[in-house]
Amino acid sequence: MREYHRPVLPDETITLLDPRESGVFLDATIGGAGHAAAILKRIGPTGRLIGIDRDPDAIEHARHRLRKFADNATLIQGNFGELAEILASLGVSRLDGALFDLGVSSHQLDAQRGFSFTRDEPLDMRMSADEDTPNARDIINTYGESELADLIWKYGEERYSRRIAGAIVKRRSKSPIETTGELADIVIHAIPGKSRWRQDIHPATRTFQAIRIEVNRELEAVEKGIPAAIEVLNVGARVCAISFHSLEDRIVKQTFRRYAGHCECPPKLPECVCGAKKMVRIVTRKPVTPSAEEITENPRGRSSKLRCAERLDN
Ligand SMILES: C[S@@+](CC[C@H](N)C(=O)[O-])C[C@H]1O[C@@H](n2cnc3c(N)ncnc32)[C@H](O)[C@@H]1O
């Protein structure tokens, strides 16, 4: 059977998160439950793990994988962007640690849910089909040309965003774009030949990333979820976040900096409006990245970056 997901930076994450016996820990992105199983082993029979995932498949898989820890694991299908509400509904007011392993799981990439540009499958990209939001097909076929160009630029940092948006609109005027293969083909041909295969990534990577972020409103969730976790950490407890691209990593880094008291307001403002307050110490000055050995064993984790911050006494 295919592995559901191989956790990235497993030892580094557990070392930094430092789960202690009897602790109450959050895994905000339970996925294949690899990190969660390691946390549960460390917190022991008197600890508690709260595991969240948007994807019902992940919750079902985690429930099975963690069955011997059933008394200690509370699994919730939900969006960590609503973390404050989820914790309140469980009556949890303090945490001894929190982990956010962002992005998608290998299962999601492999499950023909329209995330992959290397196979031809229906365009979807929703992490949870239960959420009543537009999927990738809706976005590709209904957004205006400039709206598409802006989102491919903003969430994909794709320099050929305008050409790609133009090519999408031209192609869909003939018939709707239905599959990942069609979209990948449009993107490849919209990028000038000399630039197409120059980078070490597939030419459609950035566009697919952008559409996926838009479909799942991924960045908004990170912007809300990490602060909500910091607010309820006990003194000395840590929050770890693993990101897979620069947009996510920037949000994690800036959130930690803001909570470490670094004001990010423009210098001309008379007073701070960014919400900076000194509530954490940044543990990882530079992000932790996978070793060459880990990348060879798990190439999908090659771009991962792990950052950690620790709650201070205020
Ligand atoms: C990289 S995987 C996590 C892997 C996990 N750490 C493991 O050990 O297997 C990311 C998971 O986060 C979930 N996810 C992404 N954004 C989410 C959000 N806003 N709320 C809840 N779950 C989310 C995805 O559905 C996916 O299952």
Side-chain angles (χ1 to χ4, degrees), residues 5-7 27-36 52-55 58 78-81 99 101-105 108 127 221 244:
H5 181 85
R6 183 175 294 197
D27 184 339
T29 51
I30 202 139
H35 289 119
I52 301 176
D53 206 293
R54 278 169 101 146
D55 186 342
N79 185 336
F80 65 65
L99 171 63
D101 179 12
L102 304 170
V104 285
S105 65
Q108 288 167 326
M127 287 188 196
F244 291 83

Side-chain angles (χ1 to χ4, degrees), residues 4-8 27-37 52-56 58-59 61 65 76-82 86 99-108 113 127-128 131 216-218 220-222 242 244 248:
Y4 190 99
H5 181 85
R6 183 175 294 197
V8 300
D27 184 339
T29 51
I30 202 139
H35 289 119
I52 301 176
D53 206 293
R54 278 169 101 146
D55 186 342
I59 295 296
H61 171 85
R65 177 166 182 186
I76 305 283
Q77 189 204 334
N79 185 336
F80 65 65
E82 288 151 22
I86 293 173
L99 171 63
F100 294 78
D101 179 12
L102 304 170
V104 285
S105 65
S106 294
H107 171 80
Q108 288 167 326
R113 285 162 55 175
M127 287 188 196
S128 166
E131 290 172 23
N216 296 292
R217 308 260 162 205
E218 290 178 37
E220 286 98 314
V222 181
I242 305 171
F244 291 83
E248 274 171 358

Side-chain angles (χ1 to χ4, degrees), residues 132-151:
D132 190 20
T133 48
N135 66 13
R137 185 192 179 282
D138 301 327
I139 288 169
I140 289 294
N141 288 293
T142 61
Y143 276 27
E145 183 171 336
S146 59
E147 212 178 349
L148 276 175
D150 289 350
L151 96 84

